Amino acid sequence: MSLRKYIIVKGSPILFPSDLIHAEVAGKDNEVESAGFFAIVKDKKGKRVVCIGESSSLSIASKPERDQKLIARYLGIDD
């Protein structure tokens, strides 16, 4: 399982590798609603998205329940 980063802007996820910084991806003009880390977990029920943590560079936390659904829908994974 590998952790990647994400931000949510205008209800849409932006996904990127963990070596990039949240604030640099967000830029100055975007209003970030939540940010953190995510992973795709495989279990008996199939694949699901798990969101955790926060962005220290943006001082914004993840909103796991909402963010997991948004990212799963974006990736075409039933959550």
Side-chain angles (χ1 to χ4, degrees):
M1 171 176 62
S2 65
L3 279 179
R4 294 175 55 197
K5 291 182 178 179
Y6 75 92
I7 58 174
I8 304 292
V9 177
K10 296 180 183 174
S12 296
I14 299 172
L15 313 178
F16 51 97
S18 60
D19 59 338
L20 298 178
I21 297 170
H22 285 104
E24 290 178 357
V25 173
K28 295 179 183 179
D29 297 331
N30 285 319
E31 197 170 314
V32 178
E33 300 164 19
S34 59
F37 299 83
F38 80 97
I40 298 171
V41 178
K42 296 177 188 174
D43 58 20
K44 296 174 188 172
K45 297 178 183 177
K47 293 181 184 179
R48 62 187 174 95
V49 175
V50 176
C51 294
I52 60 169
E54 62 186 32
S55 165
S56 58
S57 64
L58 293 171
S59 298
I60 297 175
S62 61
K63 297 178 182 172
E65 202 168 296
R66 183 191 71 145
D67 297 350
Q68 289 167 179
K69 290 178 183 176
L70 290 172
I71 293 171
R73 188 178 318 131
Y74 178 79
L75 294 174
I77 299 170
D78 291 326
D79 192 24

